[in-house]
Amino acid sequence: MHDTARRRRIRGPRRLATQVLATQLALTAGVLLLAAALFLAPLSDNLDDQAMRRALAIAQTTAAEPGMADQLLASKPTRNNPVQRDAERIRRATGAEYIVIMDERGVRWSHTEAHRIGSHVSTDPEPALSGAEWMGIDHGTLGQTARGKVPLRDENGRVIGAVSVGIAYESVQDRLVGAVPGILAYAGGALAVGALAAYALSRRLQRRTHDLAFSDISALLDEREAMLHGIREGVVALDKNARIRLVNDEAQRLLGLTPAVTGRPLDEALPPGRTTDILAGRVTGDDLLAVAGSRVLVLNRMPTADGGAVATLRDRTELERLGRELDSTRGLIDALRAQDHEHANRMHTLLGLLELGLTDEAVDYITEAVGGHRATAEQVTGHIHDPLLAALLVGKATVAAERGVELNLAGSLPDEVVDPTGLVTIVGNLIDNALDAAVGSAEPEVEVEVDADGRAVHLRIADSGAGVPYDQREKIFTEGYSTKRLPAHGAKRGIGLPLVRRLAERQGGKVTVDDRPGGGAEFTVYLPEALREAA
């Protein structure tokens, strides 16, 4: 169905392979014609030059023949004079069209046609009779010929005549025409090789482009660009050398990249970490979790046929936040349910005291119940002046009380926090983990200590749980790794601690885990620039 739809879509334009084949054939034929023209154009001139030089050489040889000048002076221009006999002998030996020997008046002493002996030559003999040698293409009684003329001198060097030798010009043309078939044969062979190469190239392009036309390829590229930069999912394409070929707008936003990273190696464009390892294929799997900055990402990587890969990134920060809020909501619902039960018990107790007329005892009982909650809030706000963190600790104290865990707070923090939201995320995640670990221990307890030192903030959150084994103290900060079972709503674990470390490192700080004195785990967070400078 897909192939049928594609054919229906592209039946109009010419296929890319066909256009390439036609273009290659046209280029090959044009190059061959140009080469043939460039070869043939000087060939005719070269052949003419060779013929003229040959005629001139024969004329020079004839003029230098021993006794030729004496015979011209001693004989008369008759058909059987010795000059005619020697000239014909040389003509037959050299293959010349004619050899004309003339006296200083231009009267022929020899000629191929004997009846012309004794008559004046038909072309101007003046250059040779003046003592100069001449060669060229001329037209005479025997037609157009390549000619050479030299003076004929006696033993004293005096010019007494001239020798004119002609080579039929048609013979030069015949040589040229005879060379054309060979030239055409070579050109035809080259054209055939070029056609085969062009056909092979077009077939390869046809396979690689799925027989698409140029217009379809352009349309597909436009559609791809619109799709890649329009979807709300990050896409990163890598070549076989792990260089970034493509990164769309959403991937740039999620990874904090710029378009300039295209063409750079992946390990240079991204910092070391789980995200880089997943994109590079060093960590494999489906729907892998990673933390990039303050974002929780889900990554999938698909290899391509050329050895590269395409990776997709989905932002699950909000989903993870909602999942944690759901966990917190469930905890609060359980706490409220327990509070409702406790409230009913207290109301029944209060009602009984009033019915018995024990008014003073009823007042003391109400004062004690309300004062416990008020004391907790006053204790928190007396130490923590940042409203967000104070509200978080009050809520966590309530949850801890309902879960049967004692939450102890120490230290103080001024209202000068640079990133309150990040600090709340760090403390909230660590307290949640500490509460989960402390529940079920012999004496459930969570210790929260907050200290400010100049602009630095030191956090210590300890629990009375089972602690963290030494061999897992680095693994727990890896995205996707968790020692807890999945919650009922199915959200993936292994995000909180990696997010805590990433937020701390983003502020130049660090997170460490150690054993708590007396048993349990102790997390320490150091944030060197968490507070604003004092006014």
Side-chain angles (χ1 to χ4, degrees):
M1 180 180 295
H2 175 71
D3 293 340
T4 303
R6 189 183 67 187
R7 293 192 196 98
R8 183 164 54 252
R9 179 187 175 195
I10 63 175
R11 64 176 180 267
R14 294 176 59 191
R15 305 298 189 269
L16 173 62
T18 304
Q19 296 184 44
V20 170
L21 177 60
T23 303
Q24 290 285 335
L25 290 177
L27 287 175
T28 303
V31 169
L32 289 174
L33 288 176
L34 179 61
L38 293 176
F39 175 75
L40 292 177
L43 178 61
S44 177
D45 295 336
N46 290 337
L47 294 177
D48 288 347
D49 185 71
Q50 292 177 9
M52 290 186 294
R53 291 186 180 281
R54 182 186 169 201
L56 184 64
I58 296 174
Q60 291 171 341
T61 302
T62 304
E65 182 75 12
M68 183 63 71
D70 295 337
Q71 292 177 0
L72 178 64
L73 295 174
S75 62
K76 293 182 179 181
T78 60
R79 293 190 175 189
N80 294 320
N81 68 79
V83 174
Q84 168 70 359
R85 290 195 297 270
D86 289 343
E88 282 299 299
R89 174 177 56 82
I90 296 173
R91 184 186 66 81
R92 288 191 294 269
T94 58
E97 182 71 17
Y98 65 85
I99 296 179
V100 174
I101 300 176
M102 66 192 79
D103 60 12
E104 58 187 356
R105 297 170 300 167
V107 177
R108 299 186 182 98
W109 243 253
S110 66
H111 198 280
T112 304
E113 297 176 357
H115 66 275
R116 296 186 182 276
I117 297 175
S119 60
H120 198 276
V121 294
S122 59
T123 58
D124 184 17
E126 186 59 30
L129 294 177
S130 300
E133 295 182 348
W134 176 90
M135 63 180 183
I137 304 298
D138 205 349
H139 189 81
T141 56
L142 295 179
Q144 193 171 5
T145 55
R147 301 186 178 191
K149 298 180 180 181
V150 299
L152 180 62
R153 303 176 185 273
D154 61 10
E155 58 184 8
N156 296 321
R158 184 175 62 89
V159 177
I160 61 171
V163 177
S164 175
V165 176
I167 297 178
Y169 189 66
E170 289 76 15
S171 63
V172 178
Q173 294 179 338
D174 292 341
R175 291 178 59 187
L176 179 59
V177 172
V180 169
I183 297 172
L184 294 179
Y186 284 114
L191 181 61
V193 172
L196 290 176
Y199 179 75
L201 177 61
S202 66
R203 293 294 297 174
R204 179 178 176 84
L205 286 175
Q206 185 178 16
R207 290 192 300 269
R208 297 298 297 270
T209 60
H210 302 287
D211 202 21
L212 294 175
F214 279 114
S215 59
D216 296 295
I217 294 176
S218 177
L220 286 175
L221 289 176
D222 293 338
E223 293 169 3
R224 189 199 72 159
E225 289 298 312
M227 178 181 65
L228 286 176
H229 296 289
I231 61 175
R232 302 304 296 172
E233 186 167 308
V235 178
V236 178
L238 306 172
D239 62 13
K240 62 181 180 180
N241 297 318
R243 293 181 178 273
I244 298 176
R245 288 193 297 197
L246 178 142
V247 53
N248 71 344
D249 296 341
E250 183 67 6
Q252 294 174 26
R253 185 182 70 85
L254 295 177
L255 298 176
L257 301 176
T258 63
V261 301
T262 304
R264 292 177 56 190
L266 179 66
D267 292 329
E268 293 182 7
L270 292 177
R274 180 176 171 84
T275 302
T276 305
D277 292 338
I278 294 175
L279 294 177
R282 292 187 286 267
V283 177
T284 59
D286 297 329
D287 292 337
L288 297 173
L289 291 174
V291 176
S294 60
R295 299 185 181 278
V296 179
L297 305 179
V298 178
L299 294 88
N300 285 280
R301 185 179 187 273
M302 178 64 66
T304 56
D306 61 353
V310 175
T312 59
L313 304 89
R314 285 174 285 160
D315 190 356
R316 280 192 53 171
T317 306
E318 293 299 320
L319 183 60
E320 288 297 324
R321 183 181 64 81
L322 292 175
R324 291 186 171 277
E325 288 181 359
L326 179 59
D327 284 341
S328 299
T329 303
R330 289 179 181 274
L332 288 174
I333 290 174
D334 293 339
L336 290 173
R337 188 181 294 113
Q339 280 186 343
D340 179 63
H341 186 270
E342 182 183 0
H343 178 69
N345 290 334
R346 288 176 177 175
M347 292 300 294
H348 292 157
T349 303
L350 179 62
L351 179 61
L353 291 173
L354 292 175
E355 288 179 350
L356 293 174
L358 302 175
T359 307
D360 293 337
E361 286 79 356
V363 172
D364 292 339
Y365 180 75
I366 289 297
T367 301
E368 180 183 357
V370 175
H373 293 287
R374 181 182 296 115
T376 300
E378 290 177 352
Q379 180 190 15
V380 171
T381 56
H383 291 79
I384 307 300
H385 300 285
D386 181 77
L388 286 181
L389 187 58
L392 172 73
L393 291 175
V394 170
K396 295 299 181 183
T398 302
V399 173
E402 297 305 328
R403 297 183 68 178
V405 179
E406 182 182 356
L407 190 144
N408 298 318
L409 178 64
S412 63
L413 183 70
D415 187 13
E416 298 291 341
V417 179
V418 175
D419 183 11
T421 304
L423 186 60
V424 165
T425 301
I426 293 174
V427 175
N429 277 295
L430 292 177
I431 291 180
D432 286 341
N433 291 339
L435 290 174
D436 292 339
V439 171
S441 61
E443 296 180 1
E445 181 182 10
V446 172
E447 301 173 2
V448 178
E449 183 178 346
V450 183
D451 285 322
D453 182 11
R455 296 189 61 190
V457 170
H458 297 268
L459 300 174
R460 175 182 168 273
I461 299 176
D463 62 74
S464 59
V468 180
Y470 184 80
D471 60 343
Q472 295 184 15
R473 291 182 182 177
E474 279 301 317
K475 292 181 180 178
I476 61 175
F477 292 103
T478 303
E479 295 93 331
Y481 181 84
S482 178
T483 58
K484 306 175 185 178
R485 63 182 180 87
L486 289 177
H489 55 79
K492 292 190 175 183
R493 295 273 190 186
I495 293 298
L497 289 177
L499 189 57
V500 168
R501 170 172 279 186
R502 190 61 56 87
L503 289 172
E505 291 177 347
R506 190 173 65 177
Q507 298 186 32
K510 61 180 180 178
V511 181
T512 58
V513 59
D514 207 340
D515 292 327
R516 171 180 174 267
E522 180 179 278
F523 286 83
T524 302
V525 181
Y526 172 66
L527 305 174
E529 297 181 356
L531 301 179
R532 299 184 182 90
E533 293 183 2

